[in-house]
Amino acid sequence: MENTVVIGAQWGDEGKAKITDLLAEKADLIIRYQGGCNAGHTVVADGKTFKFHLIPSGILYKGKICFIGAGTVIYPEVLNEEIENLKKENIDLSGLKISPLATITMPYHIDLDGASEAGAKNKIGTTKKGIGPTYTDKISRHGIKVQDLFDKEGLSHKLDEILSLKNKELKEIYGLKTYSKEEITDICKKYAEILRPYVCNDWQKIYHDALKENKTILFEGAQGVMLDVDWGTYPYVTSSNPVAGGACTGSGFGPSVIKEIIGVSKAYITRVGEGPFATELTDETGDKIRNIGAEFGTTTGRPRRCGWFDAVVAKYGVLVSGLTSMAVTKLDVFDTFDEIKICTAYKDTRDGSVSEYYPTNVNIHKYLEPVYETHKGWKSDISRAKTYDELPENAKKYLARLEELMGVKISIISVGPGREQTIFVK
Ligand code: GDP
Ligand code: IMO
Ligand code: MG
C-alpha cells in the first residue's frame, strides 16, 4: 500500500473509521491529524464494536505506531476513558503516541462551547466538546500544548497571561464560574499524568526513520470536507481542516509523501448539527434511511439528518481534497428501496439557472433546489457480497453513475459494518 490519506467527503460519519481500520492492517504508522473528541469513530472487528474519539482507528492491530498528531486537540479526560476501555479489552497500547505539539482542551473550553451555543441566535449545533474554543485559543496563541504540561515554569507564565483573559470571558460575557490558577495548575498536573506514558518527544527520529525505511503511512481524517473551516458550509463547520491538505499541516509530513487520497462517502448523506443540506429528507424516506442505517451520533447520540447522495458535494470534495478514489459505504442500507435518487445539480429558483458546482455562500441555499435523477433499487440483500461481480445489476448501475458524476473511481464498497463486508474494487 502507498502512503494514503483517508478523509470524510461529506459532513462526517461516512464510515471513515471502518476504512481506516481495514487499510491500517497494511500500514506501519497511522496518524490522526486534526479534530478532537468531537469525532466518533466506530470499528466493528470480530463481532466487537469499538468506538474511538481521539485514538487512531489502527490501534486494534498489534505493533502499529498510532500517532495523535500536532493538529489535533486533546481533551485528556476523554482520552483517558478511551485508553481505559481499550485496556479492559486487552488491546495493546504500546504503539500509541501523542504529539507534544497537540493542543489541550481545558475545562473552560468546554464551558465556553456550551455557553456560546446556548446564547447564540444562530446555533451551529456543536458537539459541545470545546473544539471551537480550543482551536480559537491555539490560533490566537493562547493554547496550552501537550509539551507545556511538562514545563512547570513555562506553564506558570502562560497561565498568568491566559487565565486573566479566560476568566474575563467566562464571567463578563457568559456569567460563568471562573478558575483560579491553583485549580488549573492541579488540572494540568492530572492531565500530564494521563498523557505522560504516550507523549512522543522523539517523533522527529521516528518520522526520519519511517521515511528512510519506506514505512507505510496512513493519515486518518476526522469530520469531513463539508465541515472544513475553510472549505465547508461556514459557519456551520468544525474548527479544523478535515480536507486532505490538513493531513500535512496536522501530521508534520509534507505533501510529497502522500500518494493516495481516499474520500469516504455514504451511498446517501447524513449531517448532525445545523447548516444547509440540500438533499435532506424530512419525510418517511429520511426516517427509513435513519432507521435502517442506525443514523444516530456516536459522540452525542443525536439523530442524524438523512438525505439522498449529492454528487455536487462529492465532486466538490474530489476537487478541494484531490481525491484519487472514493470509498462508498452503507450501500446495503438501500437493499429494500424501490427507487434511489442522486442529486446531480442545484437549480436557483430566482432565475432558473442550473449549476453543478457547490455554492459556498450558505445564505443563498434557501433559493436552491436539488435536481434529481432516479435510479431503480436492487431489492435484494447485498450484505454478503464479496466481489463487485456479485452485486446486483442495479447496484452496479448506481455505483457507475456515481463514479461518472464524481469524476473518480470507487475503490472500496462497503456493504455492512464488519471488516468482511467490504469489496475492494480491482
Ligand atoms: P466515521 O465517523 O466516519 O468513522 O463514521 P461513524 O463511525 O460515526 O458512523 C458510521 C457507522 O456506520 C458506524 O456505526 C459503522 O459501524 C457503520 N458502518 C460503516 N460502514 C457500514 C456499511 O457499509 N453498512 C452499514 N450498514 N453500516 C456501516
Ligand atoms: P466524525 O469524525 C459528524 C459537527 C457538529 C456540528 C459541527 C461543529 O465522527 O465524522 P464541533 O463540536 O466540531 O465544533 O461542531 O461539526 N461535527 C461532526 N459531525 N461527525 C463528526 O466527526 C463531527 N464532528 C463535528 O455536529 O455540526
Ligand atoms: Mg463519526
Side-chain angles (χ1 to χ4, degrees), residues 4-45:
T4 302
V5 182
V6 175
I7 62 158
Q10 299 168 332
W11 278 281
D13 301 326
E14 300 90 347
K16 299 174 291 293
K18 168 176 168 168
I19 303 299
T20 305
D21 164 75
L22 283 168
L23 299 179
E25 193 181 4
K26 295 207 174 83
D28 302 299
L29 235 83
I30 300 103
I31 309 183
R32 181 58 201 276
Y33 58 84
Q34 45 71 233
C37 57
N38 48 349
H41 294 166
T42 317
V43 176
V44 181

Side-chain angles (χ1 to χ4, degrees), residues 12-18 39-44 49 51 57 220 223 264 266 292-295 297-298 304 328-333 413-418 421:
D13 301 326
E14 300 90 347
K16 299 174 291 293
K18 168 176 168 168
H41 294 166
T42 317
V43 176
V44 181
T49 300
K51 292 191 188 291
S57 306
E220 180 183 31
Q223 290 82 50
V264 185
K266 281 174 183 162
I292 298 176
E295 296 297 355
T298 311
R304 294 173 179 153
V328 174
T329 62
K330 302 194 107 162
L331 191 62
D332 54 297
V333 172
I413 302 159
S414 174
V415 293
Q421 293 173 295

Side-chain angles (χ1 to χ4, degrees), residues 55 77 82 84 115 162 183-184 246 274 283 294 312 338 372 416:
I55 294 181
E77 304 278 6
E82 268 188 88
E84 291 308 316
I162 295 170
E183 206 176 345
I184 289 291
E274 303 306 317
D283 57 4
V312 179
D338 294 321
Y372 286 119

Side-chain angles (χ1 to χ4, degrees), residues 31-72:
I31 309 183
R32 181 58 201 276
Y33 58 84
Q34 45 71 233
C37 57
N38 48 349
H41 294 166
T42 317
V43 176
V44 181
D46 305 325
K48 260 192 197 158
T49 300
F50 296 87
K51 292 191 188 291
F52 305 114
H53 299 289
L54 281 157
I55 294 181
S57 306
I59 198 76
L60 299 180
Y61 299 97
K62 217 174 162 175
K64 311 278 179 189
I65 295 181
C66 286
F67 251 103
I68 302 180
T72 62

